[in-house]
Amino acid sequence: MLSEAKNHALTRVGPGTPMGALLRRYWHPVAAVSELAEKNVKPVRLMGEDLVLYRTDTDGYGLVQRRCPHRGADLGQGWTEGQSLRCSYHGWMFDRSGSCVEQPYEDMVGSSAPFRDKVKIDAYQAVAFAGMIWAYLGPAPAPLVPMFEPFTWRRGFVQVILSELPCNWLQCHENSVDPVHFEWRHTNYIVRESEPGSPDRGPRHSGLEFQEFEFGIVVARSAELTTALAAPVAPTSRPETSGIACLWPNVLYTGSNLEWRVPIDDTTTLNIVWHYSPIPTDMPATEQESIPYWYGPVVDDDGELLTSHILNQDFAAWVGQGATADRTGERLGRSDAGIVMLRKRLFADLERVGRGEDPQGVIRDPASNRCILLPLDKRQMYRDGVDRTFFEERLRRVFDWRLNSDPSYAVQFGQPAPVRHAFEKAMGIDPDFLDLRGKVRRSVNGECDV
């Protein structure tokens, strides 16, 4: 358990807080590139700060405070001109550095010392990379945006999914080092909901291992094999091929997925998924003109938390812990070794930042950032494409892992039809291929996975 003071140290992220200072040392994805191509001004809230993200006329990006310093108007209602953002109330205009570059009336009647030279707003760096717009809110010089291995793959279909969760970032991220939850929150929950009264249980975890490395914590697990419902992620006791890792400071990596838990404020989190699907080798690998994005709902039309898909089941569990989880009364067991390891690392990094040092995982050397290898099995499949038979069996297996017959994205509810159709076209599958939820299937190697 943690004391209330230590829990606050890990969960409060606003300006001037220790965790806020730590998280501001990293780049965070905050929007999709294709989102800003549709409308080039977007209000955002990050770590307790109200900001405006905007796209320039040369496809650069600015990130500035939301309130105009003139009379507090909302710059989110403004528009872009060249490299700058103009306030729609009185026309004051600010560039990406936060400098005021124009005040229409004051400039017309002003003196030799323009009033605009005395006005500046908060401004941060923003760049486009891997179909997402990343923000850096920390001190200069900024580190490099991490070139994680999946970003180097070129034979796949990528989509970005964003969801806003009404809870603190840490209870979301602690899920990354909690593999036993998969047995219960997903395997057994789905069996119970799909077949009420069934005595079947999913494979039980028989061993866990957590190894810290330069960029996070690798999660390895062993499980019994049974005939229960197959799941999309197989267990392995080999850390180097586990395909699961908690990356610094707030990323879950699961082979084809990278998932960020970006704090909006102390009690709200932006969950961003970058999902890569390898294209079958009998299809041409064509570069995506733009990476599609969509917002995944968290509740249904009646306001109830969705639990039909894997990520929605996770969301409901995190939200169910409260706006900020109370860790003062928790009782951690042996399966929580990864959570203890993660918290120790966060406290150690808080001390490093307090001494003026970089926290773990910050990258400044371009040579070491060419491709950051992560634990993975079947690496060639992701890099060069996947056999058609294996692809279709694996796709069916993943789609069996949900509680309805929704034929769209299997892991999270709510994928729009245009994104689904783009996926089907890239993969060369018939639109009816996944329209019906099939019976429980075994994985291609004859074993069941958890």
Side-chain angles (χ1 to χ4, degrees):
M1 67 178 66
L2 294 179
S3 68
E4 185 175 4
K6 286 188 173 182
N7 196 33
H8 287 168
L10 293 182
T11 57
R12 294 185 175 178
V13 298
T17 63
M19 183 54 68
L22 169 59
L23 292 174
R24 282 167 171 78
R25 264 58 176 187
Y26 299 88
W27 287 92
H28 302 273
V30 296
V33 170
S34 50
E35 184 178 9
L36 269 290
E38 298 171 355
K39 184 178 181 181
N40 60 4
V41 177
K42 175 185 171 74
V44 296
R45 182 169 167 81
L46 298 172
M47 289 181 268
E49 298 188 47
D50 291 313
L51 307 169
V52 176
L53 179 66
Y54 69 92
R55 179 172 59 89
T56 73
D57 63 358
T58 57
D59 289 334
Y61 296 91
L63 183 64
V64 298
Q65 73 182 50
R66 186 164 179 178
R67 294 298 167 190
C68 179
H70 180 202
R71 290 178 54 204
D74 183 2
L75 290 174
Q77 298 176 13
W79 61 81
T80 58
E81 293 184 20
Q83 303 295 304
S84 302
L85 178 67
R86 188 182 292 278
C87 180
S88 63
Y89 199 18
H90 299 96
W92 288 24
M93 192 158 69
F94 303 88
D95 66 15
R96 288 192 288 177
S97 73
S99 296
C100 187
V101 295
E102 187 175 327
Q103 296 173 334
Y105 185 80
E106 282 73 10
D107 290 345
M108 179 179 65
V109 300
S111 64
S112 58
F115 177 48
R116 66 174 181 271
D117 291 347
K118 301 178 181 179
V119 179
K120 192 174 179 67
I121 60 176
D122 293 335
Y124 303 107
Q125 296 184 55
V127 298
F129 176 65
M132 299 176 289
I133 302 171
W134 301 63
Y136 178 73
L137 277 62
L144 301 173
V145 177
M147 179 63 81
F148 292 129
E149 179 181 0
F151 295 147
T152 69
W153 299 334
R154 294 293 180 266
R155 191 179 170 81
F157 180 87
V158 176
Q159 57 187 302
V160 174
I161 307 107
L162 306 96
S163 305
E164 188 171 311
L165 310 178
C167 63
N168 182 262
W169 79 281
L170 185 59
Q171 59 217 59
C172 307
H173 190 46
E174 286 182 332
N175 189 76
S176 306
V177 284
D178 180 17
V180 172
H181 91 273
F182 206 101
E183 175 186 339
W184 291 95
R185 186 57 182 170
H186 304 311
T187 311
N188 292 335
Y189 179 82
I190 288 176
V191 170
R192 178 185 178 278
E193 291 297 307
S194 59
E195 301 179 52
S198 170
D200 288 344
R201 290 283 178 88
R204 293 183 301 177
H205 282 80
S206 55
L208 303 173
E209 184 175 353
F210 305 93
Q211 288 188 7
E212 187 171 343
F213 73 119
E214 182 180 1
F215 297 101
I217 299 172
V218 177
V219 180
R221 60 203 183 102
S222 303
E224 299 172 345
L225 297 176
T226 73
T227 58
L229 193 64
V233 181
T236 174
S237 59
R238 299 171 56 207
E240 65 273 15
T241 62
S242 73
I244 304 174
C246 161
L247 304 177
W248 310 132
N250 59 343
V251 191
L252 169 64
Y253 157 77
T254 56
S256 60
N257 268 26
L258 288 162
E259 182 179 348
W260 287 261
R261 289 73 183 255
V262 181
I264 295 174
D265 51 38
D266 290 346
T267 57
T268 321
T269 300
L270 178 64
N271 196 82
I272 299 185
V273 176
W274 184 92
H275 183 86
Y276 177 96
S277 302
I279 295 174
T281 52
D282 60 356
M283 293 296 294
T286 57
E287 186 173 351
Q288 288 177 276
E289 294 183 4
S290 65
I291 293 176
Y293 79 96
W294 48 283
Y295 278 84
V298 177
V299 299
D300 61 20
D301 292 340
D302 296 323
E304 297 293 327
L305 288 164
L306 291 162
T307 57
S308 56
H309 293 59
I310 291 175
L311 276 180
N312 297 100
Q313 292 159 15
D314 284 336
F315 295 167
W318 307 340
V319 173
Q321 290 177 279
T324 300
D326 181 3
R327 296 172 176 83
T328 62
E330 64 186 3
R331 302 291 297 274
L332 300 184
R334 293 179 181 178
S335 67
D336 301 308
I339 290 175
V340 173
M341 183 180 291
L342 172 61
R343 293 178 186 176
K344 285 183 177 179
R345 168 47 56 193
L346 290 174
F347 281 121
D349 277 344
L350 288 177
E351 293 180 2
R352 292 174 67 153
V353 170
R355 295 192 300 264
E357 303 171 9
D358 278 338
Q360 190 85 348
V362 166
I363 308 163
R364 298 194 182 276
D365 177 20
S368 66
N369 196 42
R370 293 194 183 106
C371 178
I372 300 171
L373 294 179
L374 300 173
L376 184 64
D377 192 18
K378 300 182 177 66
R379 179 170 274 105
Q380 184 176 358
M381 175 186 77
Y382 292 98
R383 187 182 59 214
D384 301 331
V386 61
D387 173 77
R388 167 66 61 181
T389 301
F390 181 87
F391 164 77
E392 292 190 352
E393 177 59 29
R394 187 172 185 269
L395 192 62
R396 287 191 186 98
R397 177 161 53 99
V398 174
F399 271 82
D400 276 340
W401 207 249
R402 68 207 194 287
L403 288 170
N404 61 22
S405 58
D406 177 12
S408 59
Y409 184 62
V411 184
Q412 186 173 344
F413 178 81
Q415 184 190 54
V419 182
R420 174 198 172 190
H421 296 155
F423 171 82
E424 292 168 342
K425 180 179 180 181
M427 300 298 166
I429 60 177
D430 187 274
D432 295 329
F433 179 72
L434 294 168
D435 273 347
L436 296 176
R437 184 178 182 212
K439 296 180 180 179
V440 174
R441 295 177 174 85
R442 299 173 68 82
S443 61
V444 294
N445 61 7
E447 298 176 344
C448 281
D449 308 323
V450 59

